PDB file of all heavy atoms in Angstrom:
ATOM      1  N   GLU A  97    -204.143  77.345 -16.602  1.00 97.00           N
ATOM      2  CA  GLU A  97    -205.387  76.786 -17.028  1.00 97.00           C
ATOM      3  C   GLU A  97    -205.411  76.348 -18.430  1.00 97.00           C
ATOM      4  O   GLU A  97    -205.912  75.280 -18.748  1.00 97.00           O
ATOM      5  CB  GLU A  97    -206.591  77.829 -16.757  1.00 97.00           C
ATOM      6  CG  GLU A  97    -207.895  77.183 -16.709  1.00 97.00           C
ATOM      7  CD  GLU A  97    -208.985  78.182 -16.275  1.00 97.00           C
ATOM      8  OE1 GLU A  97    -208.645  79.368 -16.124  1.00 97.00           O
ATOM      9  OE2 GLU A  97    -210.154  77.718 -16.161  1.00 97.00           O
ATOM     10  N   ALA A  98    -204.777  77.082 -19.327  1.00 97.00           N
ATOM     11  CA  ALA A  98    -204.643  76.650 -20.701  1.00 97.00           C
ATOM     12  C   ALA A  98    -203.782  75.430 -20.907  1.00 97.00           C
ATOM     13  O   ALA A  98    -204.209  74.593 -21.720  1.00 97.00           O
ATOM     14  CB  ALA A  98    -204.004  77.949 -21.537  1.00 97.00           C
ATOM     15  N   ARG A  99    -202.786  75.314 -20.139  1.00 97.00           N
ATOM     16  CA  ARG A  99    -201.871  74.172 -20.252  1.00 97.00           C
ATOM     17  C   ARG A  99    -202.674  72.913 -19.768  1.00 97.00           C
ATOM     18  O   ARG A  99    -202.543  71.815 -20.393  1.00 97.00           O
ATOM     19  CB  ARG A  99    -200.686  74.342 -19.425  1.00 97.00           C
ATOM     20  CG  ARG A  99    -199.492  73.647 -20.009  1.00 97.00           C
ATOM     21  CD  ARG A  99    -198.146  74.038 -19.324  1.00 97.00           C
ATOM     22  NE  ARG A  99    -197.156  73.072 -19.806  1.00 97.00           N
ATOM     23  CZ  ARG A  99    -195.925  72.904 -19.191  1.00 97.00           C
ATOM     24  NH1 ARG A  99    -195.755  73.423 -18.040  1.00 97.00           N
ATOM     25  NH2 ARG A  99    -195.131  72.041 -19.760  1.00 97.00           N
ATOM     26  N   LEU A 100    -203.472  73.028 -18.787  1.00 98.00           N
ATOM     27  CA  LEU A 100    -204.235  71.919 -18.261  1.00 98.00           C
ATOM     28  C   LEU A 100    -205.260  71.502 -19.294  1.00 98.00           C
ATOM     29  O   LEU A 100    -205.511  70.277 -19.516  1.00 98.00           O
ATOM     30  CB  LEU A 100    -204.991  72.338 -16.896  1.00 98.00           C
ATOM     31  CG  LEU A 100    -205.864  71.219 -16.413  1.00 98.00           C
ATOM     32  CD1 LEU A 100    -205.082  70.078 -15.836  1.00 98.00           C
ATOM     33  CD2 LEU A 100    -206.765  71.742 -15.256  1.00 98.00           C
ATOM     34  N   LYS A 101    -205.981  72.517 -19.962  1.00 98.00           N
ATOM     35  CA  LYS A 101    -206.889  72.099 -20.873  1.00 98.00           C
ATOM     36  C   LYS A 101    -206.307  71.438 -22.110  1.00 98.00           C
ATOM     37  O   LYS A 101    -206.802  70.415 -22.672  1.00 98.00           O
ATOM     38  CB  LYS A 101    -207.618  73.390 -21.516  1.00 98.00           C
ATOM     39  CG  LYS A 101    -208.688  73.868 -20.511  1.00 98.00           C
ATOM     40  CD  LYS A 101    -209.347  75.144 -21.064  1.00 98.00           C
ATOM     41  CE  LYS A 101    -210.287  75.845 -20.117  1.00 98.00           C
ATOM     42  NZ  LYS A 101    -211.478  75.023 -19.699  1.00 98.00           N
ATOM     43  N   ASP A 102    -205.070  71.802 -22.444  1.00 98.00           N
ATOM     44  CA  ASP A 102    -204.315  71.159 -23.534  1.00 98.00           C
ATOM     45  C   ASP A 102    -204.090  69.676 -23.213  1.00 98.00           C
ATOM     46  O   ASP A 102    -204.265  68.755 -23.918  1.00 98.00           O
ATOM     47  CB  ASP A 102    -203.029  71.928 -23.731  1.00 98.00           C
ATOM     48  CG  ASP A 102    -202.232  71.402 -24.900  1.00 98.00           C
ATOM     49  OD1 ASP A 102    -202.783  70.686 -25.789  1.00 98.00           O
ATOM     50  OD2 ASP A 102    -200.996  71.612 -24.996  1.00 98.00           O
ATOM     51  N   LEU A 103    -203.593  69.421 -21.960  1.00 98.00           N
ATOM     52  CA  LEU A 103    -203.254  68.035 -21.542  1.00 98.00           C
ATOM     53  C   LEU A 103    -204.494  67.240 -21.427  1.00 98.00           C
ATOM     54  O   LEU A 103    -204.451  66.102 -21.866  1.00 98.00           O
ATOM     55  CB  LEU A 103    -202.604  68.176 -20.050  1.00 98.00           C
ATOM     56  CG  LEU A 103    -201.235  68.817 -20.014  1.00 98.00           C
ATOM     57  CD1 LEU A 103    -200.812  68.912 -18.528  1.00 98.00           C
ATOM     58  CD2 LEU A 103    -200.201  68.125 -20.842  1.00 98.00           C
ATOM     59  N   ALA A 104    -205.563  67.801 -21.000  1.00 97.00           N
ATOM     60  CA  ALA A 104    -206.869  67.108 -20.879  1.00 97.00           C
ATOM     61  C   ALA A 104    -207.341  66.711 -22.306  1.00 97.00           C
ATOM     62  O   ALA A 104    -207.800  65.592 -22.523  1.00 97.00           O
ATOM     63  CB  ALA A 104    -207.938  67.972 -20.184  1.00 97.00           C
ATOM     64  N   GLY A 105    -207.136  67.554 -23.268  1.00 97.00           N
ATOM     65  CA  GLY A 105    -207.622  67.379 -24.670  1.00 97.00           C
ATOM     66  C   GLY A 105    -206.774  66.283 -25.224  1.00 97.00           C
ATOM     67  O   GLY A 105    -207.293  65.584 -26.179  1.00 97.00           O
ATOM     68  N   ARG A 106    -205.606  66.041 -24.797  1.00 98.00           N
ATOM     69  CA  ARG A 106    -204.727  65.017 -25.337  1.00 98.00           C
ATOM     70  C   ARG A 106    -205.035  63.706 -24.738  1.00 98.00           C
ATOM     71  O   ARG A 106    -204.267  62.730 -25.030  1.00 98.00           O
ATOM     72  CB  ARG A 106    -203.239  65.457 -25.164  1.00 98.00           C
ATOM     73  CG  ARG A 106    -202.848  66.531 -26.043  1.00 98.00           C
ATOM     74  CD  ARG A 106    -201.509  67.149 -25.738  1.00 98.00           C
ATOM     75  NE  ARG A 106    -201.198  68.337 -26.462  1.00 98.00           N
ATOM     76  CZ  ARG A 106    -200.480  68.350 -27.572  1.00 98.00           C
ATOM     77  NH1 ARG A 106    -199.851  67.282 -27.951  1.00 98.00           N
ATOM     78  NH2 ARG A 106    -200.135  69.475 -28.182  1.00 98.00           N
ATOM     79  N   GLY A 107    -205.915  63.605 -23.698  1.00 97.00           N
ATOM     80  CA  GLY A 107    -206.324  62.280 -23.325  1.00 97.00           C
ATOM     81  C   GLY A 107    -205.716  61.988 -21.844  1.00 97.00           C
ATOM     82  O   GLY A 107    -205.779  60.782 -21.434  1.00 97.00           O
ATOM     83  N   LEU A 108    -205.207  62.931 -21.184  1.00 98.00           N
ATOM     84  CA  LEU A 108    -204.651  62.657 -19.859  1.00 98.00           C
ATOM     85  C   LEU A 108    -205.867  62.073 -18.960  1.00 98.00           C
ATOM     86  O   LEU A 108    -206.909  62.595 -18.982  1.00 98.00           O
ATOM     87  CB  LEU A 108    -204.134  63.921 -19.249  1.00 98.00           C
ATOM     88  CG  LEU A 108    -203.451  63.771 -17.884  1.00 98.00           C
ATOM     89  CD1 LEU A 108    -202.199  63.055 -17.885  1.00 98.00           C
ATOM     90  CD2 LEU A 108    -203.220  65.154 -17.243  1.00 98.00           C
ATOM     91  N   ASP A 109    -205.483  60.969 -18.291  1.00 98.00           N
ATOM     92  CA  ASP A 109    -206.548  60.185 -17.528  1.00 98.00           C
ATOM     93  C   ASP A 109    -206.835  60.683 -16.098  1.00 98.00           C
ATOM     94  O   ASP A 109    -207.824  60.651 -15.592  1.00 98.00           O
ATOM     95  CB  ASP A 109    -206.256  58.797 -17.505  1.00 98.00           C
ATOM     96  CG  ASP A 109    -206.474  58.103 -18.922  1.00 98.00           C
ATOM     97  OD1 ASP A 109    -207.684  58.017 -19.265  1.00 98.00           O
ATOM     98  OD2 ASP A 109    -205.487  57.683 -19.583  1.00 98.00           O
ATOM     99  N   HIS A 110    -205.756  61.190 -15.568  1.00 98.00           N
ATOM    100  CA  HIS A 110    -205.786  61.336 -14.123  1.00 98.00           C
ATOM    101  C   HIS A 110    -204.565  62.274 -13.646  1.00 98.00           C
ATOM    102  O   HIS A 110    -203.545  62.278 -14.202  1.00 98.00           O
ATOM    103  CB  HIS A 110    -205.646  59.944 -13.355  1.00 98.00           C
ATOM    104  CG  HIS A 110    -205.565  60.081 -11.925  1.00 98.00           C
ATOM    105  ND1 HIS A 110    -204.355  59.564 -11.246  1.00 98.00           N
ATOM    106  CD2 HIS A 110    -206.338  60.430 -10.878  1.00 98.00           C
ATOM    107  CE1 HIS A 110    -204.513  59.771  -9.930  1.00 98.00           C
ATOM    108  NE2 HIS A 110    -205.661  60.259  -9.654  1.00 98.00           N
ATOM    109  N   ILE A 111    -204.796  63.036 -12.575  1.00 98.00           N
ATOM    110  CA  ILE A 111    -203.772  63.899 -11.987  1.00 98.00           C
ATOM    111  C   ILE A 111    -203.606  63.599 -10.569  1.00 98.00           C
ATOM    112  O   ILE A 111    -204.609  63.540  -9.783  1.00 98.00           O
ATOM    113  CB  ILE A 111    -204.109  65.436 -12.235  1.00 98.00           C
ATOM    114  CG1 ILE A 111    -204.043  65.684 -13.765  1.00 98.00           C
ATOM    115  CG2 ILE A 111    -203.066  66.244 -11.473  1.00 98.00           C
ATOM    116  CD1 ILE A 111    -204.386  67.159 -14.070  1.00 98.00           C
ATOM    117  N   GLN A 112    -202.388  63.495 -10.135  1.00 98.00           N
ATOM    118  CA  GLN A 112    -202.074  63.334  -8.718  1.00 98.00           C
ATOM    119  C   GLN A 112    -201.316  64.648  -8.294  1.00 98.00           C
ATOM    120  O   GLN A 112    -200.208  64.913  -8.813  1.00 98.00           O
ATOM    121  CB  GLN A 112    -201.143  62.062  -8.479  1.00 98.00           C
ATOM    122  CG  GLN A 112    -200.665  61.968  -7.012  1.00 98.00           C
ATOM    123  CD  GLN A 112    -199.904  60.711  -6.767  1.00 98.00           C
ATOM    124  OE1 GLN A 112    -200.291  59.706  -7.187  1.00 98.00           O
ATOM    125  NE2 GLN A 112    -198.763  60.946  -6.124  1.00 98.00           N
ATOM    126  N   LEU A 113    -201.913  65.319  -7.389  1.00 98.00           N
ATOM    127  CA  LEU A 113    -201.427  66.672  -6.969  1.00 98.00           C
ATOM    128  C   LEU A 113    -200.812  66.595  -5.621  1.00 98.00           C
ATOM    129  O   LEU A 113    -201.496  66.029  -4.651  1.00 98.00           O
ATOM    130  CB  LEU A 113    -202.538  67.692  -7.015  1.00 98.00           C
ATOM    131  CG  LEU A 113    -202.188  69.085  -6.639  1.00 98.00           C
ATOM    132  CD1 LEU A 113    -201.319  69.775  -7.723  1.00 98.00           C
ATOM    133  CD2 LEU A 113    -203.496  69.999  -6.489  1.00 98.00           C
ATOM    134  N   SER A 114    -199.613  66.896  -5.405  1.00 97.00           N
ATOM    135  CA  SER A 114    -199.004  66.805  -4.070  1.00 97.00           C
ATOM    136  C   SER A 114    -199.334  67.986  -3.240  1.00 97.00           C
ATOM    137  O   SER A 114    -199.368  69.094  -3.778  1.00 97.00           O
ATOM    138  CB  SER A 114    -197.410  66.671  -4.241  1.00 97.00           C
ATOM    139  OG  SER A 114    -196.947  67.898  -4.776  1.00 97.00           O
ATOM    140  N   ILE A 115    -199.478  67.766  -1.963  1.00 96.00           N
ATOM    141  CA  ILE A 115    -199.587  68.924  -0.982  1.00 96.00           C
ATOM    142  C   ILE A 115    -198.484  68.654   0.060  1.00 96.00           C
ATOM    143  O   ILE A 115    -198.368  67.476   0.439  1.00 96.00           O
ATOM    144  CB  ILE A 115    -201.010  69.179  -0.360  1.00 96.00           C
ATOM    145  CG1 ILE A 115    -201.486  67.869   0.327  1.00 96.00           C
ATOM    146  CG2 ILE A 115    -201.943  69.606  -1.410  1.00 96.00           C
ATOM    147  CD1 ILE A 115    -202.416  68.108   1.358  1.00 96.00           C
ATOM    148  N   GLN A 116    -197.826  69.684   0.543  1.00 94.00           N
ATOM    149  CA  GLN A 116    -196.798  69.510   1.454  1.00 94.00           C
ATOM    150  C   GLN A 116    -197.242  69.809   2.831  1.00 94.00           C
ATOM    151  O   GLN A 116    -196.404  69.764   3.747  1.00 94.00           O
ATOM    152  CB  GLN A 116    -195.572  70.419   1.018  1.00 94.00           C
ATOM    153  CG  GLN A 116    -194.676  69.864  -0.086  1.00 94.00           C
ATOM    154  CD  GLN A 116    -195.380  69.843  -1.403  1.00 94.00           C
ATOM    155  OE1 GLN A 116    -196.136  70.721  -1.780  1.00 94.00           O
ATOM    156  NE2 GLN A 116    -195.160  68.799  -2.184  1.00 94.00           N
ATOM    157  N   GLY A 117    -198.530  70.025   3.041  1.00 92.00           N
ATOM    158  CA  GLY A 117    -199.021  70.349   4.288  1.00 92.00           C
ATOM    159  C   GLY A 117    -200.465  70.887   4.098  1.00 92.00           C
ATOM    160  O   GLY A 117    -200.840  71.299   3.050  1.00 92.00           O
ATOM    161  N   PRO A 118    -201.311  70.788   5.229  1.00 92.00           N
ATOM    162  CA  PRO A 118    -202.698  71.186   5.149  1.00 92.00           C
ATOM    163  C   PRO A 118    -202.845  72.725   5.182  1.00 92.00           C
ATOM    164  O   PRO A 118    -204.075  73.089   5.156  1.00 92.00           O
ATOM    165  CB  PRO A 118    -203.364  70.487   6.275  1.00 92.00           C
ATOM    166  CG  PRO A 118    -202.251  70.274   7.321  1.00 92.00           C
ATOM    167  CD  PRO A 118    -201.003  70.219   6.587  1.00 92.00           C
ATOM    168  N   ASN A 119    -201.872  73.508   5.349  1.00 92.00           N
ATOM    169  CA  ASN A 119    -202.028  74.941   5.265  1.00 92.00           C
ATOM    170  C   ASN A 119    -200.712  75.510   4.636  1.00 92.00           C
ATOM    171  O   ASN A 119    -199.679  74.841   4.487  1.00 92.00           O
ATOM    172  CB  ASN A 119    -202.378  75.531   6.583  1.00 92.00           C
ATOM    173  CG  ASN A 119    -201.247  75.331   7.593  1.00 92.00           C
ATOM    174  OD1 ASN A 119    -200.060  75.617   7.339  1.00 92.00           O
ATOM    175  ND2 ASN A 119    -201.516  74.801   8.755  1.00 92.00           N
ATOM    176  N   ALA A 120    -200.802  76.860   4.244  1.00 94.00           N
ATOM    177  CA  ALA A 120    -199.704  77.494   3.548  1.00 94.00           C
ATOM    178  C   ALA A 120    -198.489  77.578   4.446  1.00 94.00           C
ATOM    179  O   ALA A 120    -197.335  77.394   3.869  1.00 94.00           O
ATOM    180  CB  ALA A 120    -200.119  78.851   3.068  1.00 94.00           C
ATOM    181  N   GLN A 121    -198.590  77.820   5.690  1.00 91.00           N
ATOM    182  CA  GLN A 121    -197.463  77.972   6.439  1.00 91.00           C
ATOM    183  C   GLN A 121    -196.516  76.782   6.534  1.00 91.00           C
ATOM    184  O   GLN A 121    -195.298  76.848   6.248  1.00 91.00           O
ATOM    185  CB  GLN A 121    -197.802  78.399   7.896  1.00 91.00           C
ATOM    186  CG  GLN A 121    -196.635  78.754   8.785  1.00 91.00           C
ATOM    187  CD  GLN A 121    -196.898  78.621  10.278  1.00 91.00           C
ATOM    188  OE1 GLN A 121    -197.956  78.158  10.678  1.00 91.00           O
ATOM    189  NE2 GLN A 121    -195.926  79.030  11.007  1.00 91.00           N
ATOM    190  N   ILE A 122    -197.261  75.524   6.721  1.00 90.00           N
ATOM    191  CA  ILE A 122    -196.410  74.356   6.796  1.00 90.00           C
ATOM    192  C   ILE A 122    -195.977  73.940   5.380  1.00 90.00           C
ATOM    193  O   ILE A 122    -194.772  73.617   5.086  1.00 90.00           O
ATOM    194  CB  ILE A 122    -197.232  73.158   7.365  1.00 90.00           C
ATOM    195  CG1 ILE A 122    -197.717  73.582   8.778  1.00 90.00           C
ATOM    196  CG2 ILE A 122    -196.523  71.886   7.290  1.00 90.00           C
ATOM    197  CD1 ILE A 122    -198.559  72.386   9.358  1.00 90.00           C
ATOM    198  N   ALA A 123    -196.930  73.994   4.421  1.00 92.00           N
ATOM    199  CA  ALA A 123    -196.642  73.558   3.122  1.00 92.00           C
ATOM    200  C   ALA A 123    -195.482  74.275   2.416  1.00 92.00           C
ATOM    201  O   ALA A 123    -194.606  73.697   1.752  1.00 92.00           O
ATOM    202  CB  ALA A 123    -197.899  73.575   2.282  1.00 92.00           C
ATOM    203  N   ASP A 124    -195.550  75.656   2.593  1.00 93.00           N
ATOM    204  CA  ASP A 124    -194.534  76.373   1.862  1.00 93.00           C
ATOM    205  C   ASP A 124    -193.148  76.257   2.484  1.00 93.00           C
ATOM    206  O   ASP A 124    -192.084  76.305   1.851  1.00 93.00           O
ATOM    207  CB  ASP A 124    -194.983  77.860   1.736  1.00 93.00           C
ATOM    208  CG  ASP A 124    -196.157  78.049   0.879  1.00 93.00           C
ATOM    209  OD1 ASP A 124    -196.625  77.034   0.236  1.00 93.00           O
ATOM    210  OD2 ASP A 124    -196.680  79.201   0.689  1.00 93.00           O
ATOM    211  N   ARG A 125    -193.182  76.068   3.709  1.00 91.00           N
ATOM    212  CA  ARG A 125    -191.916  75.831   4.465  1.00 91.00           C
ATOM    213  C   ARG A 125    -191.252  74.460   4.160  1.00 91.00           C
ATOM    214  O   ARG A 125    -190.068  74.414   3.858  1.00 91.00           O
ATOM    215  CB  ARG A 125    -192.213  75.936   5.960  1.00 91.00           C
ATOM    216  CG  ARG A 125    -191.038  75.460   6.848  1.00 91.00           C
ATOM    217  CD  ARG A 125    -189.934  76.430   6.975  1.00 91.00           C
ATOM    218  NE  ARG A 125    -188.854  75.936   7.829  1.00 91.00           N
ATOM    219  CZ  ARG A 125    -187.676  76.016   7.670  1.00 91.00           C
ATOM    220  NH1 ARG A 125    -187.139  76.737   6.673  1.00 91.00           N
ATOM    221  NH2 ARG A 125    -186.764  75.514   8.541  1.00 91.00           N
TER     222      ARG A 125
END
Side-chain angles (χ1 to χ4, degrees):
Chain A
E97 198 170 4
R99 210 169 173 204
L100 177 69
K101 282 181 189 292
D102 182 21
L103 296 175
R106 289 168 186 261
L108 182 66
D109 287 293
H110 172 245
I111 295 179
Q112 177 179 312
L113 183 68
S114 64
I115 54 157
Q116 281 69 38
N119 63 51
Q121 190 202 3
I122 299 180
D124 292 358
R125 168 74 179 141

